[in-house]
Amino acid sequence: MDPEQVDEFVMGYLKKKGFNSDGTSFSSIDYHNDPDLTKLIRSFSQSENDPSRYREGYSKLRSWGDNSLDLYKHELLRVIYPVFIHCYINLVGKGHTQEARAFFNSFRKDHEMVHLRDLQKLEGVLAPSHLQEMEFARSLRQSKFNIKICQCSYDLLLQYLHRTESTLMLGIINERINFQVYSGQPNSASDDIESVTISGSFHETADHVNQKEIHWGLLEDSLEDRLQKTGGLLSDSEKGQGESKADSKKRSSEIGKQGSSVKKLKKDKAGNATAKVARQETSMALSTTPRVKPELAMPVMSTDVEESILEDLRNRVQLSSLAMPSVSFYTFVNTHNGLNSSSISHDGSLVAGGFSDSSIKVWDMAKIGHAGSCALQDENGRRNYTLLLGHSGPVYSATFSPPGDYVLSSSADTTIRLWSTKLNANLVCYKGHNHTVWDAQFSPSGHYFASCSHDRTARIWSMDRMHPLRMMAGHLSDVDCVQWHPNCNYIATGSSDKTVRLWDVQTGECVRIFVGHRSMVLSLAMSPDGRYMASGDEDGTIMMWDLSTARCITPLIGHNSCVWTLSYSGEGSLLASGSADCTVKLWDVSSSTKLTKAEEKNGNSNRLRPLRTFPTKSTPVHALRFSRRNLLFAAGAISKPAS
Amino acid sequence: MSIVPKETIEVTAQSIGITNLSPEAALMLAPDVEYRVREIMQEAIKSMRHSKRTTLTASDVDGALNLRSLEPTYGFASGGPFRFRKAVGHQDLFYTDDREVDFKDVIGAPLPKAPLDTELVCHWLAIEGVQPAIPENAPLEVIRAPADNKIYEQKDGPLIDVRPPVKHVLSRELQLYFQKIAEITMSKSSPALFKEALVSLASDSGLHPLVPYFTNFIADEVSRGLNDFQILFNLMHVVRSLLQNPHIHIEPYLHQLMPSVVTCLVSRKLGNRFADNHWELRDFTAKLVSLICKRFGNTYHTLQSRLSKTLGNALLDPKKALTQHYGAIQGLTALGHNVVRLLILSNLEPYLSLLEPELDCEKQKNQMKSYEAWRVYGALLRAAGLCIHDRLKVFPNLPSPSPSLLHKGKGKIISAETRKRKLSADSSQNQLPHKRLMTTTDGLRPQDHTGPAPMHVDKPMGKKGNESESRHQNEKERGKGRVITMKAILGQIWKDDLDSGRLLVKLHQLYDDRILPFIPSTEMSVFL
């Protein structure tokens, strides 16, 4: 570039910025003789004009990162991805579509391993208008990447950028990346899950949200509580006081009737009982979890139901890594690819399937089990299931209320319907969502339910109101699954934006954001003590989260396809997962939480391997449910093996 | 720049009636089309995930279009995934395979079957953490030893490499199954049930853990039950079923099985009653031996040589009983013609001279002994015949002996058979229905040419042991008729196939003299 061109450029630049004078006043500045200044101007002019500057700058930065010391390499390479994304977005934004595509294709391989799904989304962006339209691109432009990096790496990076005078890269890095510099040695590569995150666009960074206080403890006066009391009473009677079982039952039912007025009295009793009898290890564990008060008005449970639940809890099999559960598998046959969802009632006797032809079918296994299903149908020429018709679109979920007397279904027709299994009829049709409702779940105590939809909201409903009570908005994409916290004060939602959020039911606020999944979150489960949550994604990864810290305790690696369903055993020692790879896997989560606590000091979290894998005969596992007695029920539709 | 070429845009524009689309407009549209298509696919994938599927279907795309409030594409609502075909001459062009259907055919076609209604079936995927081996579960590849926590505990002590014995865990179901099968095998009361059990053994998957138990059981019971013919026979049936089961990998257990099998072949005494047809058992076992050799001969090299050595020793030991010789001959025959040539034919001359006195009715007063001798003779004949048959097939152009000689030899072979019939007539009678015999002779023609004649004729002989007196005469008459027709057929075949080996000549010489006087005049006339 000769001096005349430099002159021309400077004048052009000044004009563009609004300096309309003839430029003589600037000629006094002798920038021709200052080599540094000339160079700077030159680089500015180039960056303005030449899209190939991006490619050059990026590839230089990349090769520098690749050749750096192993110690800092993984930290420095973290910087590469945001730079890559924003180079591409800038190129597209300036209308260099062709160059953008070429740039993208030549470097996408570097990031496919970790960011494949983001890349797939961005690949289609080819015009500036798309950037405005696409949610993901917009959020990228409006927010910054947070990168944790050690002091030394940070200095190295700055030195490099200054030395090479790649102002373009420096600009992107300054504009788009928010460095969190820490002193000391660089971290090991294994915990890089949280090191690169995109913070939300509304000034509420995930960190900020996760500072909020939550009470993950169990409800006061829960059935578990009562079980301990009655259990204590029972063992008293066993000791020879001659107190009958019926007596203790009566007492527990009295407690149920009287409700909250006798709470204090009971607390004393509970204290006595637990002090006296350490019945079971796990119930001890549950009893040590803190108690919280319900934020919602809890429905009153009928005494019969309560009795049966207590009975189940008393007869619960204790599971551990040594005592494995039995698994009963319900296989749907002849579904003709139409089964969208299935679920199993809490006692395992009812099985519901939601079909793409808008029908819901409910099987009562207690009836079928005795008669032999095939024979029954042939003789009468009748169906051996209950057909529920009412929806006008594919049914994406059908779940049972805890006592099994209602079915809640959600569909692509944007409605949620409530059905009675006693009357076999539709009771209510809840309208409110604007788009397909992907999932709907009853709260653990019944009456309330939560739904989530393509319209990016989750809503809380009660059975007796036509309209939602709360609306949770914040996810950046579809909300795909929803799950209640055992104490009914929170719900968790999993979304296509690859995050899981925890919401306060009373206030409707988001209280936790869990970042770490690399693809759409498909399934959620809460541990019975309310402390942990497991979430499964499209790639087959399951993550265990600590609710209070919003940190991933351990990723559970083993599945190689979508994790459709997760379920915790009754006392929370085992986690069962069902996947599209036709297996049910059992994970020993009690040991994993202990292990990581011990190893937290060492700094390396070991990845947990499945305790046991049960392959099915080419049947993807759609639903799993631990009954109250810890029998594991699984359901899935058999698919013909690919020929 | 976009993966959608502008030609595609132009073609699409034309198809919807826009003819004056400028190339620039097409170029501008292409990236947007790509973006929209990607957007729809992204939604379709969501729809697919929520339908709990891993293959995208047309209904998912319709669902995605619905979510965008667009009209779905009609006419693609098929159940299964689409089959795309590659367009000839274009690299990346695909089209759906959409056949033209004649309207008449559609109307005329019978109504399709109503699709089966959805049903729910229930089974145990696992019982207390262990998967039962039932047909509903996926087959288990490996039997795993239970994870033993003691291993880890021991490591705290002094570092000694202690390997705990691998526990073989047998589920309750398998234990019951084994007990039941053993019970049925040992009881002689219900042959129908036993048949069912054999079918189950031959076809069920998941029996592999039981194989060592079965081999043990068979070995025990064979050594214990040598006097009980029925049990031995049942056990051999069990062996055969185990060999037939495609899910069982029996090779590692062969060395345990073979002694029992060979025992049933060459033992001096099998069963203690006169009525026990131990010949049949020996024949059956011989077939079993050949089955084993065929299947495992390649992988288990010493198998055949060891077997032939054992059997050859049994045959060439003159102190052994004739029944043992018979079993050895049958076993060797089953091993193939090479073994026969090597071990039997080379020793045929001395052996026959040894056998001769036994064969003579006049000299050998003990009828039982004489019958046994004739059985051995028949077996030898069959072995020789099979061997010749194979050789003839291998060397079709050997120098041919005179036709007269051939005719003679032919006559002898057949007549030997007839003679045996006469000999055994006193004690036995043919039980097989006539029809079956005819079919066997008919069956001769396509597959067998010369040699197998004695073999097939021999077969009904094997069944003679339990004949009843009353129908004896009748059967004999029929038998004669059969022999005549068969001879006619065989004569035909022999004329067709005049070539034969020198071996045949030798055999003819060996067998010749003994047989001639017994040929009935009618049969002679056919040949002459």
Side-chain angles (χ1 to χ4, degrees), chain A residues 233-290:
Chain A
L233 288 171
L234 269 181
S235 43
D236 276 351
S237 70
E238 278 159 16
K239 275 173 189 166
Q241 290 187 1
E243 200 174 7
S244 73
K245 206 175 179 180
D247 195 347
S248 68
K249 272 186 187 172
K250 212 187 281 170
R251 192 168 297 186
S252 70
S253 65
E254 274 172 18
I255 290 164
K257 277 177 200 162
Q258 286 164 352
S260 56
S261 59
V262 283
K263 211 174 265 171
K264 273 182 191 166
L265 194 101
K266 269 185 289 164
K267 256 185 194 165
D268 297 342
K269 265 190 198 169
N272 287 337
T274 43
K276 262 187 221 162
V277 191
R279 207 172 80 99
Q280 282 147 345
E281 200 184 317
T282 45
S283 60
M284 278 297 284
L286 284 178
S287 68
T288 54
T289 59

Side-chain angles (χ1 to χ4, degrees), chain A residues 623-637:
Chain A
L624 284 169
R625 161 89 67 196
F626 270 102
S627 76
R628 293 197 189 90
R629 298 189 183 201
N630 266 348
L631 180 62
L632 181 58
F633 291 97

Side-chain angles (χ1 to χ4, degrees), chain B residues 417-426 476 480 518 520:
Chain B
E417 200 272 323
T418 348
R419 185 183 159 276
K420 267 198 275 178
R421 176 170 299 277
K422 279 185 180 168
L423 268 175
S424 55
D426 301 22
K476 198 176 164 190
K480 241 182 207 169
F518 293 95

Side-chain angles (χ1 to χ4, degrees), chain A residues 300-403:
Chain A
V300 180
M301 209 180 282
S302 78
T303 47
D304 302 353
V305 174
E306 196 179 287
E307 274 311 302
S308 76
I309 292 174
L310 281 171
E311 185 65 31
D312 281 345
L313 291 180
R314 257 180 237 121
N315 290 320
R316 183 154 77 195
V317 183
Q318 294 299 309
L319 295 180
S320 66
S321 57
L322 299 172
M324 290 289 181
S326 297
V327 189
S328 175
F329 202 96
Y330 295 129
T331 313
F332 289 87
V333 291
N334 305 324
T335 55
H336 311 289
N337 256 339
L339 185 72
N340 283 351
S341 69
S342 54
S343 76
I344 303 157
S345 67
H346 287 251
D347 59 355
S349 66
L350 294 171
V351 182
F355 288 80
S356 58
D357 61 358
S358 6
S359 65
I360 300 158
K361 294 169 185 173
V362 181
W363 282 264
D364 189 343
M365 292 313 284
K367 276 183 203 156
I368 295 171
H370 297 300
S373 57
C374 297
L376 193 85
Q377 196 185 14
D378 288 350
E379 279 168 22
N380 307 336
R382 279 193 301 121
R383 302 184 285 262
N384 54 9
Y385 54 82
T386 317
L387 186 65
L388 304 176
L389 290 175
H391 279 296
S392 58
V395 180
Y396 285 113
S397 81
T399 50
F400 290 95
S401 66

Side-chain angles (χ1 to χ4, degrees), chain A residues 211-253:
Chain A
Q211 299 294 321
K212 288 178 188 170
E213 190 187 5
I214 61 164
H215 305 280
W216 49 265
L218 289 180
L219 277 188
E220 295 177 334
D221 188 34
S222 68
L223 282 167
E224 296 276 354
D225 255 357
R226 291 184 210 172
L227 174 72
Q228 276 168 20
K229 278 166 240 160
T230 52
L233 288 171
L234 269 181
S235 43
D236 276 351
S237 70
E238 278 159 16
K239 275 173 189 166
Q241 290 187 1
E243 200 174 7
S244 73
K245 206 175 179 180
D247 195 347
S248 68
K249 272 186 187 172
K250 212 187 281 170
R251 192 168 297 186
S252 70
S253 65

Side-chain angles (χ1 to χ4, degrees), chain A residues 130 133 331 480 538 612 617, chain B residues 32 36 49-50 121 129 135:
Chain A
H130 297 159
E133 200 168 327
T331 313
D480 295 301
E538 212 179 353
R612 201 58 67 86
K617 219 174 185 181
Chain B
D32 201 51
R36 301 294 156 198
R49 292 296 181 217
H50 283 285
V121 287

